[in-house]
Each structure stands twice: as C-alpha cells, then as structure tokens.
Amino acid sequence: MDKVLASRPFVWILLAVNTLGTIYGYIWYGNQLAYTAGNYPAWLLPFVPDSPTASLFFTLALVLLLYPPRTAWGVAVRALVEALAVVTSVKYGIWAVMIIVAGGYQGGNLDWQDWMLMASHAGMAVEALLYARFFHCRKMIPLALLYTLLNDTMDYGFGIYPWLPSTLTDDVPQVRNFTFLLTLLSASAAWLAAEASARRNLQRRSRMF
C-alpha cells in the first residue's frame, strides 16, 4: 500500500484530481463569496470557502511531496502546509458529510449533487489520513489547530459559515458546537496519525543498525 501511495505516478494523478476539485470548490462557493463581498468586510473573504481551502492545502502538500524543499525555511513551510492539509481536510471532509446527512435526516431531499459532495468530501478525509504517514507535520499540528479554530470563530462569530441545508437553518448553535468539537477531534486524529508515522520511521531506522 505504501509503495503505491508514495509512487510518483499515483501522486501526480492525485494531484490532478485535487487540483480540479479545488477549482470546482471555489466555483461552488462563488455565490457565497459574492454575497459576503457585498455585505461584509473584505478581510473576511478568505475565511468563507472552507472545504476548497482545505483541498488547496492538501494539493500544495502533494506538490511539496513531489518536490521537497531543501532549505530549513522551506522544510518548516512544508511541515506547516502538511499540518494544515491533514487537520482541515479531515475536519471539513467529515463536516460536509455529516451536515448533508443531518439535512436529509430532518426532511431535506438529497439529490445527485449531495451524493457527489458526500463522496468527494469523504475522500478528502481518507486521503489526508492515508498521506499523513508521508508527511512531517507533527510539530506544526498545534498551529494548524489554532488556524482552524480561528476559522471557526470567524465563521460563527460573523455569520459567514458555509450555507446550510434549509432544514438546518434553525440549528445553527448545534452546528457551531459540532464544528468546534470536530476541529479538536480532527487535530487529535492528525496528531495520532503523525505519531504513528514517526514511530514507524524510528523502527525502520533501528532495523538498519
């Protein structure tokens, strides 16, 4: 499994898929970005497209996996990007699936776009956890956690959270609480994945001597 995931052809395929998904995600958020630009301060705009930004972090992490930086500064940037990629991809991947399911459970109709979104977002979470073993992001996970908590605060403090299914518009406090909890759980999952990767690498080095 590791050989397949780490092979350059496979990473290139995944990079292409994630690049297209990221572009589509920002297009999907076009109406909310336009609404936010017309009704809120411009500095809030970067906090609006949550899932596409998570996908962008993962896409950049794949680029840095293919072309790892050699300088100390570059290595630090890579670790931060990888940490952001894992934490946010796990968080928003699970969040989108759960919100769509919750909307359907409360009486909303699920169409083909909803099923497509659930499949693609579940893929975000899975790929992030799978590739955490190749990342060197453990020390940067606290920073990724702080960034994601800041994003949650902007979303629910200023009301720029992702537009919800109509059946959930009266459940914003519950969605907010779930969102903050999921951020903590996602950072914990990222930390555990990074720890497991570090232990495997240490065991491999010990067998070499």
Side-chain angles (χ1 to χ4, degrees), residues 41-142:
W43 61 269
L44 286 172
L45 285 172
F47 297 102
V48 173
D50 295 337
S51 292
T53 301
S55 180
L56 176 62
F57 286 140
F58 190 79
T59 300
L60 293 175
L62 291 177
V63 172
L64 293 171
L65 187 63
L66 289 167
Y67 301 100
R70 303 300 180 186
T71 65
W73 181 86
V75 170
V77 169
R78 175 188 177 183
L80 179 58
V81 170
E82 291 173 344
L84 289 167
V86 177
V87 173
T88 61
S89 293
V90 172
K91 185 261 182 76
Y92 291 115
I94 296 173
W95 186 92
V97 173
M98 296 302 296
I99 291 300
I100 294 172
V101 169
Y105 179 77
Q106 294 201 22
N109 293 321
L110 300 183
D111 57 22
W112 69 269
Q113 286 184 320
D114 293 311
W115 291 105
M116 179 271 291
L117 288 171
M118 282 194 286
S120 61
H121 282 80
M124 284 176 57
V126 170
E127 68 181 5
L129 290 174
L130 285 175
Y131 274 84
R133 72 188 70 185
F134 305 114
F135 293 163
H136 305 280
C137 59
R138 182 175 51 173
K139 293 181 180 179
M140 291 295 186
I141 288 176

Side-chain angles (χ1 to χ4, degrees), residues 83 86-88 90-91 141-142 144-146 148 181-193:
V86 177
V87 173
T88 61
V90 172
K91 185 261 182 76
I141 288 176
L145 171 61
L146 290 176
T148 312
L181 176 61
L182 187 56
T183 292
L184 298 176
L185 293 176
S186 298
S188 299
W191 180 268
L192 290 173

Side-chain angles (χ1 to χ4, degrees), residues 21-33:
T22 300
I23 294 170
Y24 178 79
Y26 281 111
I27 294 173
W28 178 272
Y29 269 87
N31 290 335
Q32 186 172 355
L33 285 167

Side-chain angles (χ1 to χ4, degrees), residues 125-196:
V126 170
E127 68 181 5
L129 290 174
L130 285 175
Y131 274 84
R133 72 188 70 185
F134 305 114
F135 293 163
H136 305 280
C137 59
R138 182 175 51 173
K139 293 181 180 179
M140 291 295 186
I141 288 176
L143 287 180
L145 171 61
L146 290 176
Y147 164 82
T148 312
L149 288 173
L150 173 63
N151 195 88
D152 293 344
T153 302
M154 296 296 104
D155 278 357
Y156 294 93
F158 290 92
I160 58 168
Y161 50 82
W163 287 345
L164 300 172
S166 59
T167 53
L168 295 182
T169 53
D170 57 345
D171 296 313
V172 173
Q174 291 83 354
V175 173
R176 178 199 61 211
N177 295 340
F178 168 70
T179 300
F180 276 92
L181 176 61
L182 187 56
T183 292
L184 298 176
L185 293 176
S186 298
S188 299
W191 180 268
L192 290 173
E195 278 286 313

